[in-house]
Amino acid sequence: MNIQKQRTPNTPTTPGTPATRRSARGMLAAASLSALLAPTLLVPSAVADAEPVSPATQERPWDAYNYSPPSRTVKPVAIHNTQGTVTDAAAVLSGKPTRISGAGSYVTLDFGKNVSGLVTLRFAGSDGAQRVGLAFNESSAYVGTVSDASTGGPRSRDGALYAEVNGGTTYTTPAKHLRGGFRYLTIFMDSAGWVDLDQVSLYFTPAPKMADPRAYANYFYSSDELLNKIWYAGAYTIQLNTIDPKTGRIWEAPPVAWDNSGDVGVGDTILVDGAKRDRTVWPGDLGIEIPAAYAAFNDTESARNALTTVYLHQRDTGELPYAGPMLNKYGSDTYHMWTLATTWDYYLYTGDRGWLGGIWEDYKQGVDFISQKVNDRGLLSITGTSDSVRILAKGENLIANVLLWRVLTTGSKLAEVQGDPALARSYADRAAALRTAVDTHLWDEATGAYKFYPTSPIHAQDGNALAVWYGLADRAKARRISAYLTTNWNDVGSTAPENKGNPGVFSGSMEVNAHFAAGGQAADQAGVDIIRRQWGYMLNHPQGTGSTFWESYRAGESCVFCSTYVSLAHAWATGPTPALTFSVLGLNPTGTGGRSFDFVPHPADLTFARGRITTTLGPVEGSWRVDRARGRYDAELTVPRGATGRAGVPTFGKEITVFVDGRLAWNGTKAKAYGAYTDGEYVYLDGLTGGRHEIRSHRHDD
């Protein structure tokens, strides 16, 4: 297809200013597991209380944790509270009339979880012509007759929508007033009479291309009920952040209410940062969101559309946007590099060479733009200082240098794909030089972590976590960083020293993945511990949504969110979902399109896990069970035809004997099959091809 590429002039522009356009450079283009590994059903109490477990759920126990609705029609499940004169408040839940009488009287309905879409109210009758208001809130802390803030304008709240009721009346939210994220809907009288409300429903708009919102391509299930809930809450958060690109946030903000009819990207489905707001493509969020969307849904189309949108708004200088349309922000070196870094993630999951070829000239120009800021010491010195939760200081910032290293390292692989070995060597050589400079000027041997800036006393959570997760830090440094990061934990999660010690959510998502990347029993345990502590806190907090993860929060203050503008369904908070799939379960694509993959579990203190990823060749299913007392490890792996897997069998610090499909592969000290080898922590097995495989190990002395 031929499309027009929008280029923004190099001179500063205000959001919404039309940019010059020119032509684009190119086209943008299961076998069941054994009874041994089928553990006892664990049902979340909230789900168990709501409905009995069906035989189908017994066969697929992970479905009990799924927060997504079974259809596009969603109804409230409870009455949160009432004020004034409300008769038979709960009647409306079963299709019977609830009477609301007198100005200021209201009933607040609870959908039981965060939802998104268009509301329909049905009134059985009224006392003549009446005016009824609708207000939307994510947190119970802000429930009332005004909606949360979502517009980004000067107003602290969005106000309410109003329905004119005269007898039997049906009201549906106008499309532009689609509400992106709310759990509580308050229906209130704005006139003196009464109305009889007998039905409330929501048309669920997220993930517009999923015929069944609950039909995930992948799943995760383990011996830890809380981790199961967190995986699915992360997936549901991503689902709420997957929208029709024509339903983004309008900018500039409207003078009243809100407007979600903005065109924020290409295609029919796209990844944005928040359900309530901003409903906009932010490249930094994509660093967490693209892996999470793949791990849960195998959704790469939404990722491609988000990345394509960003590339379409690249400036002539090569600078990529800080935020996509309709915000159209620039001036962030870190977010510029997030686009380049996540280009690799998309390609890894898809092997989409047509799309890569279409954006390749833009990618290279983006690398050139940021590479010009590498100084005589070999470090990137940023000048575009906008970032995730603060304005960075100019200079040799840690996370910026880690991101550039990632871009150059993965860019080298992409250059090989594009048939440019000279550029591949250049990128690889520059990555190696940058790594040396980072280790020379930013590593603090006394602390065992990298410094925020070369002369800073701060050791940033985000940059250190990313250095480990992305692999810049060698193994010894990675494990020291993992240990250092745990010293910043408090009762409610990890903290970010670079952000005044506030709980790190975006950076915390990086940290979760970093602990598993560091490896070793201590780091693996730290990974599951911080997921339980921080994401368990968010999931179970009484002022949260009970279903989605937050943009930010405060600790040790009188308020948790301290603003209705804070998003409680935010993409960058979903780091545990890919971490649990790629690391705890251990299924992780390593070759483009999933043609090769690892099955290397990080069990920590879990006793079993099972799940699936979906590759371009088909689904890969894996499961494992650990019996530490007996020194046993039992796993099963189903590989699609054409794919090749590498399995890692944990040794737990012992000499082990390993069998694959009944055949001795490792005798405790030597390889017998599958090219087996060990690093002391795992025995690795190469060449697991299409079909079902059983992997068993026990202590060598048993």
Side-chain angles (χ1 to χ4, degrees), residues 41-95:
L41 174 65
L42 296 173
V43 181
S45 57
V47 176
D49 292 343
E51 57 187 355
V53 177
S54 68
T57 305
Q58 292 283 2
E59 295 173 5
R60 293 170 48 93
W62 47 89
D63 286 343
Y65 299 93
N66 193 323
Y67 295 91
S68 301
S71 79
R72 292 284 173 180
T73 300
V74 181
K75 295 185 177 181
V77 297
I79 303 299
H80 177 69
N81 68 340
T82 65
Q83 178 172 291
T85 304
V86 179
T87 305
D88 262 347
V92 67
L93 300 176
S94 57

Side-chain angles (χ1 to χ4, degrees), residues 101-119:
S101 306
S105 294
Y106 69 73
V107 58
T108 299
L109 303 169
D110 181 0
F111 281 81
K113 59 189 173 188
N114 220 350
V115 292
S116 178
L118 301 169
V119 167

Side-chain angles (χ1 to χ4, degrees), residues 367-368 371 405 408 423 425-435:
V367 176
D368 291 345
S371 296
W405 179 85
L408 292 169
L423 184 62
R425 287 192 298 273
S426 173
Y427 282 173
D429 290 345
R430 288 152 62 184
L434 180 60
R435 183 178 194 170

